[in-house]
Amino acid sequence: MKRDFVELLWLFNSPRETRDIIRLDLQEAGLLYKYASQQWKTMPKTREGNIILEIGRYWAGSLMLLAMATHDSKVKIISVDVVEGCHDPDVDDWLNNYEEKERIDIRVDNSWAMENIPISLLFVDGDHSYEGVKKDFIHHWNYLNGPCLAHDYGDPTCEGVTRFIDEWINDGYADGIEQAGTMVALKKLKDYEI
């Protein structure tokens, strides 16, 4: 049974500042959903291979969004954060009862220290410092075969994210292709030169 973004609207039932489960606004979530849903549309349902890597889980609202966007597919989702657990009973219930939970791999680790794997979509919303974002991008960039989305780009409280992504674009590694709020979608142009 195909799932739909509308099923997730309950995540946005309060202002962003007081929302616990997801900190994306509706337009940002819509952009992430759009790119994630393209992952299963570009491959046959019978073939495995597409992997979404989410860096920074917070309370797993975006993980739920990624799961719904790729529902009824073979797309794997790896969600990595340095903090263990989601700490919200609604999210825990949802994840425990989700009929395709075998597609979801929740890890507690530093994303820039994990073993590299080929990924078809990278979503960066973890360490918002300049050095933290840089480590995440550099560690995974050469293994990316698809778009990269980053949250908090242009947010004045996350200056490191904006500065790094602007440099990354200016150095020719990516091109900004779409933005909604502080969510930016990037197209990979070349591998990182070590």
Side-chain angles (χ1 to χ4, degrees):
M1 175 178 108
K2 179 75 177 104
R3 304 300 290 263
D4 194 82
F5 185 74
V6 174
E7 294 179 59
L8 298 171
L9 289 179
W10 66 272
L11 292 171
F12 305 93
N13 64 357
S14 64
R16 178 179 178 176
E17 298 76 25
T18 59
R19 234 182 286 136
D20 288 333
I21 298 172
I22 194 165
R23 293 297 172 113
L24 308 178
D25 68 25
L26 199 54
Q27 292 77 22
E28 294 166 343
L31 189 63
L32 180 60
Y33 188 92
K34 170 185 159 182
Y35 280 90
S37 67
Q38 291 172 358
Q39 295 301 299
W40 70 268
K41 291 177 183 174
T42 61
M43 70 179 215
K45 285 173 64 172
T46 56
R47 196 181 95 221
E48 296 187 25
N50 284 17
I51 298 174
I52 295 172
L53 176 60
E54 172 189 44
I55 299 174
R57 185 172 42 259
Y58 192 58
W59 282 4
S62 54
L63 174 58
M64 293 170 64
L65 186 141
L66 292 169
M68 293 294 277
T70 58
H71 187 80
D72 196 26
S73 76
K74 300 283 185 185
V75 176
K76 302 286 184 195
I77 302 165
I78 299 172
S79 179
V80 62
D81 202 311
V82 294
V83 178
E84 187 172 351
C86 300
H87 310 293
D88 185 280
D90 291 332
V91 174
D92 286 339
D93 286 347
W94 191 91
L95 288 171
N96 288 330
N97 295 317
Y98 181 55
E99 61 267 28
E100 294 183 2
K101 61 184 168 188
E102 72 280 352
R103 293 189 306 111
I104 300 171
D105 179 358
I106 296 176
R107 300 182 185 183
V108 179
D109 200 354
N110 280 311
S111 54
W112 47 265
M114 64 185 277
E115 180 182 346
N116 286 111
I117 54 168
I119 51 178
S120 55
L121 179 121
L122 176 62
F123 172 46
V124 181
D125 193 16
D127 184 337
H128 289 74
S129 70
Y130 176 86
E131 287 302 320
V133 174
K134 182 178 181 177
K135 282 182 182 180
D136 286 337
F137 269 73
I138 288 173
H139 187 72
H140 297 286
W141 193 255
N142 292 356
Y143 299 89
L144 175 63
N145 184 23
C148 172
L149 281 86
H151 190 229
D152 297 310
Y153 175 77
D155 184 329
T157 66
C158 301
E159 182 272 333
V161 172
T162 305
R163 185 165 57 103
F164 174 76
I165 291 174
D166 285 346
E167 288 176 8
W168 200 247
I169 291 169
N170 289 336
D171 289 344
Y173 294 110
D175 188 22
I177 51 177
E178 194 169 357
Q179 186 171 351
T182 66
M183 180 75 76
V184 64
L186 304 171
K187 177 182 178 183
K188 179 178 174 180
L189 297 178
K190 66 179 181 179
D191 280 348
Y192 176 68
E193 302 156 359
I194 300 171

